[in-house]
Amino acid sequence: MKRTYILGIATFILALYSCGDKNKPVNISISPDAGTSYKQGDKVAVKLTLPADFKADSIVYLVDSVRLAAKTDSSSYSLATDSLGLGARVLTARIYSAGKVEEQSTNINLLAAKAPELYTYQLEKTFAHDTASFTEGLEYHDGVLYESDGGYCREGLKSSLRKTNVDGKVLQSIDIDCNTFAEGITVIDNKIIQLTYRERVGYVYDKATLKLLSNFTFTQGDEGWGMCNDGKNLYCNTGSNQIYVMDKTSFRTLRNIDVYDDQGPIDDLNEMEYIDGMIYANVWQKDDIVVIDPKTGAVVKRIDLSELTKQATVGINNSDAVLNGIAWDAAGKRLFVTGKNWPKLYQIKVVKKQGV
């Protein structure tokens, strides 16, 4: 009886051990190493290292949870990056073996395929601009400039939304609530959409009268910065390197664009304008405009406006008086730029930099 009892215990322990061994995670590694950078268009060799006694029935490869391919062996998988968005991309191998599933993941940073082309400007015309305007948004439509002016009353400033002509004459203006800091604007479907800085709310106005029609909850981030549109969707940013594509009616996010050049992310994206299929964006406290391909997020051009900034800020003792304001006259093919508290609005022509 005792012998039978002992044999039973031994069998039970062996079964537990076998079960535990069966459920023990398999030692699988994946390359490339996390954080490795590649240029868009590069081929990425995704390689699994499996134990010698491990037999994989099939291996499924995914990028950001989207299934790309399946293989029946662990030989290297060549990942094409031509159609992938820029930024951090998660690579996952899902390994099926004897009814079990193991997963291994890594991530890569995908950069723009090439450095942005370098441009500068030719000054065409100069117009007056209100030095009291802390410019956060600028748009040109039907012969009128629409400008969003930011500030809190508690800081001795105030926010406003105004219509002016190019010579700086105010045609119509409304003040915004004292506890609201007005930010980027865009004009679409005879409406003006306006973001706010930290209030997490947006406003919709009638374009002709500046009457407030409605507001919406801003869910894309803690701060609203720049805004533009392509006639179908809205584009906004929150001061990072991400641009959010938004539905123009519901204001929900449709997709994100990660903005990169060939060196890394372009942070602090600010005022934006959609021009001929590209997004032109100020970068906070920088003296240039980056031109972004909205399909990929790649910075394809960089426009150096440092000399214009020097000219515009002569005699201004204010570190916040930075380049910020881009407006495009689509009919007249005119590009206007200005800055916070600048005394001038400039009409410029973008030209290729020589000798670079």
Side-chain angles (χ1 to χ4, degrees):
M1 186 73 178
K2 184 181 288 186
R3 178 186 176 92
T4 303
Y5 175 73
I6 293 172
L7 283 173
I9 292 177
T11 302
F12 177 71
I13 293 173
L14 182 61
L16 281 179
Y17 176 80
S18 300
C19 182
D21 188 59
K22 184 178 179 180
N23 292 322
K24 184 179 178 181
V26 181
N27 185 21
I28 300 172
S29 62
I30 187 171
S31 63
D33 293 337
T36 304
S37 292
Y38 294 87
K39 300 289 181 67
Q40 190 177 45
D42 288 348
K43 297 285 188 180
V44 178
V46 185
K47 176 67 175 173
L48 286 176
T49 302
L50 305 173
D53 59 349
F54 183 84
K55 175 69 170 67
D57 298 324
S58 66
I59 301 170
V60 174
Y61 292 93
L62 308 95
V63 173
D64 298 333
S65 300
V66 177
R67 188 180 190 271
L68 293 182
K71 300 184 69 174
T72 56
D73 60 69
S74 61
S75 60
S76 180
Y77 169 67
S78 182
L79 170 66
T81 62
D82 307 72
S83 60
L84 296 181
L86 302 184
R89 306 270 72 92
V90 178
L91 313 181
T92 301
R94 188 172 293 159
I95 307 105
Y96 295 86
S97 176
K100 293 176 58 181
V101 182
E102 302 277 350
E103 279 194 2
Q104 284 294 322
S105 294
T106 186
N107 62 76
I108 61 171
N109 290 318
L110 199 57
L111 309 179
K114 59 182 182 178
E117 295 181 340
L118 301 180
Y119 284 73
T120 184
Y121 71 97
Q122 288 179 354
L123 182 59
E124 295 187 321
K125 289 185 180 180
T126 303
F127 306 94
H129 181 252
D130 184 2
T131 55
S133 178
F134 198 72
T135 307
E136 295 291 358
L138 193 69
E139 289 248 347
Y140 183 94
H141 278 264
D142 302 327
V144 174
L145 279 169
Y146 296 81
E147 186 166 358
S148 181
D149 162 37
Y152 290 119
C153 295
R154 61 180 178 267
E155 296 174 354
L157 304 169
K158 66 177 180 180
S159 291
S160 70
L161 177 63
R162 61 182 70 181
K163 295 162 67 172
T164 76
N165 61 24
V166 293
D167 292 312
K169 180 182 178 181
V170 178
L171 306 175
Q172 191 177 1
S173 178
I174 60 169
D175 289 337
I176 311 298
D177 179 86
C178 266
N179 295 315
T180 298
F181 194 113
E183 280 281 350
I185 57 170
T186 196
V187 180
I188 188 170
D189 297 341
N190 293 315
K191 297 174 183 177
I192 304 168
I193 316 297
Q194 182 182 52
L195 298 180
T196 57
Y197 183 30
R198 291 176 172 167
E199 288 67 50
R200 302 200 71 168
V201 65
Y203 297 111
V204 182
Y205 303 89
D206 178 78
K207 173 187 166 186
T209 64
L210 301 189
K211 178 184 177 181
L212 180 64
L213 301 176
S214 61
N215 58 46
F216 60 93
T217 302
F218 182 69
T219 61
Q220 284 69 28
D222 292 332
E223 298 180 355
W225 285 39
M227 201 170 207
C228 65
N229 77 84
D230 62 4
K232 298 178 181 179
N233 296 312
L234 306 175
Y235 297 79
C236 79
N237 62 60
T238 61
S240 68
N241 76 309
Q242 281 198 325
I243 295 174
Y244 298 88
V245 185
M246 301 164 59
D247 183 273
K248 65 179 182 179
T249 303
S250 68
F251 306 106
R252 66 183 180 87
T253 299
L254 303 176
R255 68 183 179 96
N256 299 342
I257 303 168
D258 293 314
V259 179
Y260 279 71
D261 64 10
D262 62 317
Q263 300 298 311
I266 306 300
D267 292 315
D268 296 326
L269 296 173
N270 207 346
E271 218 273 314
M272 301 189 299
E273 185 78 5
Y274 194 91
I275 304 173
D276 295 337
M278 295 290 173
I279 296 174
Y280 285 56
N282 290 126
V283 181
W284 184 53
Q285 294 189 329
K286 300 292 184 183
D287 295 330
D288 51 22
I289 291 172
V290 293
V291 181
I292 304 158
D293 183 344
K295 295 186 292 294
T296 65
V299 175
V300 296
K301 296 179 183 178
R302 190 179 289 270
I303 307 166
D304 180 5
L305 297 182
S306 56
E307 291 302 317
L308 187 66
T309 300
K310 288 179 185 177
Q311 176 183 334
T313 56
V314 170
I316 299 178
N317 185 25
N318 178 3
S319 61
D320 290 327
V322 296
L323 178 71
N324 200 52
I326 309 168
W328 175 243
D329 173 10
K333 300 299 179 183
R334 296 185 296 172
L335 180 62
F336 302 103
V337 297
T338 192
K340 302 173 188 287
N341 305 128
W342 282 18
K344 300 293 181 182
L345 172 80
Y346 299 94
Q347 179 183 325
I348 64 171
K349 180 180 180 181
V350 175
V351 295
K352 193 80 179 285
K353 259 193 175 183
Q354 299 302 311
V356 293

